[in-house]
Amino acid sequence: MKKVAIIGAGPAGIEAASILARNGIEVTLFEKSETPLKNIQDKAFLFPNFQAAQEIADDLSGKLLTDGITAAFGVDITDIKWQGTEWKIFDSKDQTYVAQAVLVATGYQVFDAHRKEELGYGIYKGIITSIDMEQMIKHGKIINSNGDAPKRVTFLQCVGSRDEKSGNNYCSKLCCVTAVKQAIEVVKQVPGCEASVFYMDLRMWGQGFEEMYRTAQEKYGVSFVRGRISEAAATFDGRVQLKSEDTLMGLPIKMTTDLLVLMVGMEASCGTKTLGKSCDISGEYGFIRTVSPHLYDNDTGKPGLFAAGSCKRPMSIWDSVNDARSAALAIQEYLKELRIEN
C-alpha cells in the first residue's frame, strides 16, 4: 500500500492530504497542535474579498473527512530519517511511523514583538500586534487600554521583517495588505475613528490589493505615512506616544494614539527549523530549502521528501493551497516510479 506522511495540518497539509487520499494513497497527517488550521483560526476576515476566515477553515477541515486520511493531532514530529526505501518518522513520545514519501508542511509562526523592545509591546498597554487586532475585529470589540472605543488607531508595518536588527531581511509579503484590511475594519466598526498606517513602502502585489488600498483612502479616510516609528511609550491617560519621521516630508513626528498595532511578520516555525536541520534541507532564515524555486519547488533533493506551503517562505492561503496541489502531483509521480502495489 502506498503510504505518505504529511507533517502539518495547515492549508497546505490538508489540501495535499485530500488530493492524495482521493487518488488511493494512504495518508497520515501529523499535527503538533490539538486542532488544525491554527493560523487561520486566529484571523477574522481575509483579503481581498473580506470572507470570514472561519468559512475557509471549515471548508478545509471538511477535507479531513476524506477516506484514506488518518489525522493524528497532538503529535510532535521531531525527526525523519531515510532508511533504504522508506522514511522512518519519530515523534516526541518516541513513537515511530513509516512511509514511502513525506511532505513537510510545517508552516510558519508570527514574529515575537517582544523582541522589538523600543516599540513597547508587553511593556505598555495600548500596544498590540496584528494578531491581537484580528481577535478584536473578529469579536467586534475594538477597545483601547481603558476599555473605551479608540479615537485613533495607528498601524506600523514591517515589525520583524525587512529588519536587520531582528535578523530578518526578507519581506513577509502579507503585512501591507493586512494593515489596509484591518484599518478598513477599524473604521467600519468604530465610526469616527482615525486610522493611519506607517510604512517604508507599500507592496500591494495581489489581485484586488491596489484597489483595496485606494478604497481605504477614498472611502474610509485611512491615512498613510511613509516613515518609521522609532519609539513608543505610555502617557498618563493610558494612550501611546509615538516618535517618528515623515520620510517624504523630511519632518519629525510626535503624536499620540489610542492603539498602536504592530504588523508582525512571518518566521519559520519551530517544527520547520527542527526538521530542516535534521534532514539537511534548512535554507535561509530557517525556512525549508528546495531544489529550485522555478521548476522543482516541492522537491528537497532527498528521495521521497517534499515540501509545501509557508514552511518554504511567506505565503498567502491561496499560495499555500496551490503549492500543495503541486506537491501532491509530484508525490504521485514519485510513487508511480516506485511501482508500489495497492
Side-chain angles (χ1 to χ4, degrees):
M1 183 69 170
K2 299 175 182 178
K3 294 182 180 181
V4 173
I6 298 179
I7 305 170
I14 291 175
E15 183 69 16
S18 67
I19 293 172
L20 293 169
R22 291 199 305 270
N23 282 275
I25 298 168
E26 183 179 319
V27 178
T28 302
L29 180 62
F30 299 99
E31 170 56 47
K32 180 167 65 174
S33 301
E34 295 295 335
T35 57
L37 301 164
K38 183 179 183 300
N39 283 326
I40 295 182
Q41 304 280 6
D42 286 339
K43 309 297 187 298
F45 304 100
L46 299 176
F47 45 81
N49 62 349
F50 287 79
Q51 183 177 358
Q54 191 60 53
E55 292 180 6
I56 297 172
D58 290 344
D59 194 347
L60 284 167
S61 294
K63 296 185 179 187
L64 291 172
L65 302 176
T66 305
D67 290 341
I69 297 177
T70 300
F73 296 109
V75 178
D76 183 13
I77 301 301
T78 57
D79 197 7
I80 49 179
K81 294 185 183 298
W82 176 250
Q83 295 191 338
T85 59
E86 60 189 14
W87 287 93
K88 195 169 185 180
I89 301 143
F90 304 83
D91 69 17
S92 59
K93 298 179 180 178
D94 295 324
Q95 298 292 316
T96 59
Y97 314 85
V98 172
Q100 282 78 45
V102 175
L103 176 64
V104 178
T106 41
Y108 72 94
Q109 63 189 22
V110 296
F111 176 81
D112 182 0
H114 292 93
R115 289 159 57 186
K116 300 289 291 182
E117 294 181 4
E118 68 273 20
L119 297 178
Y121 181 71
I123 301 173
Y124 307 118
K125 294 180 179 179
I127 301 175
I128 64 175
T129 68
S130 46
I131 303 302
D132 300 324
M133 175 54 76
E134 283 290 332
Q135 291 300 303
M136 288 186 175
I137 293 170
K138 185 174 184 177
H139 298 290
K141 193 175 182 180
I142 301 173
I143 56 175
N144 63 16
S145 62
N146 296 319
D148 303 319
K151 295 180 180 179
R152 177 180 288 173
V153 177
T154 304
F155 298 84
L156 174 61
Q157 297 282 26
C158 298
V159 177
S161 300
R162 304 176 68 193
D163 179 11
E164 290 187 12
K165 184 177 178 181
S166 67
N168 296 333
N169 294 331
Y170 59 87
C171 172
S172 285
K173 192 175 182 179
L174 303 177
C175 312
C176 284
V177 70
T178 299
V180 175
K181 177 203 73 173
Q182 290 189 350
I184 290 173
E185 285 298 321
V186 165
V187 176
K188 281 182 180 179
Q189 292 192 20
V190 188
C193 180
E194 297 178 11
S196 57
V197 179
F198 280 73
Y199 67 95
M200 287 195 288
D201 50 64
L202 288 169
R203 299 184 170 186
M204 310 303 290
W205 56 271
Q207 183 178 13
F209 290 9
E210 184 69 23
E211 292 85 346
M212 190 166 69
Y213 166 54
R214 291 174 62 91
T215 298
Q217 297 174 84
E218 297 169 1
K219 183 176 180 180
Y220 296 98
V222 178
S223 61
F224 292 84
V225 181
R226 185 180 175 189
R228 294 285 290 173
I229 294 173
S230 59
E231 184 180 338
T235 64
F236 72 94
D237 58 354
R239 304 184 78 202
V240 180
Q241 182 172 281
L242 307 175
K243 291 182 180 179
S244 183
E245 178 187 7
D246 187 323
T247 55
L248 286 178
M249 300 293 291
L251 296 173
I253 297 175
K254 192 173 183 179
M255 61 178 284
T256 55
T257 187
D258 293 295
L259 284 175
L260 172 61
V261 185
L262 307 179
M263 305 306 298
V264 286
M266 302 166 71
E267 293 187 311
S269 68
C270 292
T272 295
K273 293 176 181 178
T274 296
L275 295 181
K277 289 180 180 178
S278 69
C279 298
D280 192 26
I281 54 172
S282 182
E284 287 188 297
Y285 308 107
F287 289 104
I288 298 300
R289 180 187 71 248
T290 57
V291 172
S292 166
H294 303 292
L295 299 178
Y296 306 103
D297 196 30
N298 298 118
D299 298 333
T300 65
K302 310 286 183 180
L305 182 60
F306 302 86
S310 54
C311 66
K312 299 187 296 184
R313 68 187 71 91
M315 289 189 186
S316 66
I317 292 173
W318 75 59
D319 284 336
S320 294
V321 168
N322 286 324
D323 194 46
R325 292 167 180 165
S326 174
L329 178 60
I331 292 170
Q332 289 178 76
E333 291 298 318
Y334 172 79
L335 293 177
K336 284 180 183 178
E337 293 177 4
L338 291 183
R339 300 172 185 256
I340 299 172
E341 298 295 329
N342 282 317

